[in-house]
Amino acid sequence: MGLFKRADRSNSAPQGRDAEGLSSLLLQGEDMIEQLADAHRSWGLGSADRWGLDQRTGVITWTFPDKTATAPAQILGSWSPSSSSWQWAWANPTILPELSRDSRVVSEWAEANGHGGLATPTIDADEQMAGVIAALAVRITGATGFYRGPGAKAVVVITFGPVTLTAQDGSTSTFTINIT
């Protein structure tokens, strides 16, 4: 299962306290990810030649042959296929605190709502569980953009805001979406 696809309900349904509420949030988060992906594909998300995230500025950039797209960004966390684990951005010392606000929002929400397991720094997670965590995080934060940043050892999961598109001639336009 990819992080953009719905989880198999039989293996990923949340368990424990308020499982029904968490399951509802999960479904909403998965719907949000699908809607966000569909909307952002219109300007080219998923087809860029390359991407990068500058932690100093908090801006993600996608580069295309005919344009660049930039947006303010937050890092939710990263999923490591080799260790089958998810690490929240707030727990990763290589991520600046300014870029881990969304991940802290999820942690605080999890603690306040009795889901402490979701607030641990590192969570055992295969790809399917990483997708569940990402979907819950997107819903909890109300993200307006979602990107899976492929890396050499991990997939970085990023949320982003309004996208500024800059054409080769320097003209700009802004792509904004509001999914609720």
Side-chain angles (χ1 to χ4, degrees), residues 1-3 5-15 22 26 30 33 78-80 84-88 117-118 122-137 146 157:
M1 179 202 120
L3 289 176
K5 297 179 183 166
R6 286 194 179 275
D8 173 11
R9 292 285 139 241
S10 61
N11 296 327
S12 65
Q15 305 294 317
L22 205 54
L26 173 59
E30 289 172 339
I33 287 174
S78 57
W79 174 66
S80 169
S84 291
S85 64
W86 170 274
Q87 182 180 36
W88 289 107
L118 191 57
T122 302
I123 301 169
D124 290 338
D126 60 10
E127 186 175 12
Q128 182 173 335
M129 182 53 70
V132 166
I133 294 167
L136 288 169
F146 174 82
V157 179

Side-chain angles (χ1 to χ4, degrees), residues 11-86:
N11 296 327
S12 65
Q15 305 294 317
R17 181 178 161 199
D18 192 29
E20 185 174 317
L22 205 54
S23 291
S24 178
L25 280 179
L26 173 59
L27 289 172
Q28 293 168 11
E30 289 172 339
D31 285 344
M32 286 177 71
I33 287 174
E34 286 178 19
Q35 292 175 41
L36 292 170
D38 288 345
H40 286 290
R41 273 191 209 100
S42 68
W43 59 260
L45 183 66
S47 64
D49 292 339
R50 65 182 187 276
W51 74 278
L53 177 62
D54 184 335
Q55 284 201 55
R56 290 167 294 150
T57 63
V59 173
I60 188 169
T61 302
W62 296 274
T63 305
F64 302 86
D66 61 339
K67 67 184 176 223
T68 59
T70 57
Q74 284 285 299
I75 301 173
L76 287 176
S78 57
W79 174 66
S80 169
S82 62
S83 66
S84 291
S85 64
W86 170 274

Side-chain angles (χ1 to χ4, degrees), residues 106-178:
V106 176
S107 177
E108 291 165 5
W109 178 92
E111 288 290 346
N113 288 279
H115 301 290
L118 191 57
T120 59
T122 302
I123 301 169
D124 290 338
D126 60 10
E127 186 175 12
Q128 182 173 335
M129 182 53 70
V132 166
I133 294 167
L136 288 169
V138 164
R139 172 59 182 89
I140 291 165
T141 62
T144 59
F146 174 82
Y147 184 66
R148 269 181 82 172
K153 295 183 180 182
V155 176
V156 181
V157 179
I158 299 166
T159 57
F160 61 90
V163 178
T164 300
L165 302 167
T166 305
Q168 285 180 332
D169 67 5
S171 63
T172 63
S173 61
T174 302
F175 183 89
T176 305
I177 186 170
N178 186 15

